[in-house]
């Protein structure tokens, strides 16, 4: 396992469009923003029979997201880490998630320090 991960470089190479497509998230696009039903693990499930509305908002230009339902927010790497079942606030889990995400998206060879 590599001793050093260049998180900044990994974030710069990881595109939100690719992440959303990989996890098969159905989005509605309007300019540089997309909205979707939040797919994140831990997002509260509706207990009533009402239709869910889009609570996930992604800014494709800035590569950041915010879910108005579960209050999760962050960058592309943090979103992908959550989708892989890791907690980005735990440094060890985040490091493991970064390695996995780099592998899943074929970025290991493109990053000098990973």
């Amino acid at each position: 396992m590599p001793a050093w991960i260049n998180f900044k470089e990994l974030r710069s190479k990881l595109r939100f469009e690719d992440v959303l497509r990989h996890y098969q998230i159905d989005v509605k696009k309007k300019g540089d923003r997309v909205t979707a039903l939040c797919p994140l693990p831990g997002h509260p499930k509706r207990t009533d029979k009402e239709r869910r509305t889009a609570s996930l908002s992604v800014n494709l230009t800035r590569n950041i997201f915010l879910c108005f339902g579960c209050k999760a927010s962050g960058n592309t790497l943090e979103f992908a880490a959550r989708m892989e079942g890791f907690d980005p606030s735990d440094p060890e889990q985040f490091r493991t998630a970064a390695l996995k995400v780099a592998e899943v998206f074929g970025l290991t060879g493109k990053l000098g320090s990973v």
Side-chain angles (χ1 to χ4, degrees):
M1 181 179 281
W4 174 258
I5 299 172
N6 189 332
F7 292 102
K8 184 176 180 180
E9 189 174 355
L10 178 55
R11 280 191 303 268
S12 74
K13 302 267 189 236
L14 196 58
R15 295 173 10 111
F16 234 121
E17 294 95 336
D18 298 334
V19 171
L20 295 169
R21 190 174 18 265
H22 174 77
Y23 293 110
Q24 300 174 352
I25 300 169
D26 186 28
V27 299
K28 291 186 181 179
K29 187 172 183 179
K30 186 173 183 181
D32 68 341
R33 295 187 183 265
V34 298
T35 58
L37 298 177
C38 183
L40 294 172
H43 185 86
K45 304 290 183 216
R46 287 200 73 142
T47 55
D48 56 17
K49 300 295 181 194
E50 295 295 315
R51 187 172 155 234
R52 289 181 63 197
T53 57
S55 60
L56 178 69
S57 177
V58 177
N59 183 313
L60 299 173
T61 303
R62 296 179 59 206
N63 280 325
I64 57 174
F65 77 96
L66 170 66
C67 176
F68 297 100
C70 66
K71 307 296 185 222
S73 64
N75 59 50
T76 313
L77 179 55
E78 292 166 331
F79 182 85
R82 288 178 188 272
M83 289 299 293
E84 291 293 331
F86 295 98
D87 179 2
S89 66
D90 178 323
E92 198 57 41
Q93 282 192 38
F94 190 58
R95 182 180 189 292
T96 304
L99 290 169
K100 180 168 178 122
V101 167
E103 183 180 322
V104 165
F105 289 94
L107 298 173
T108 52
K110 296 177 184 176
L111 301 172
S113 302
V114 173

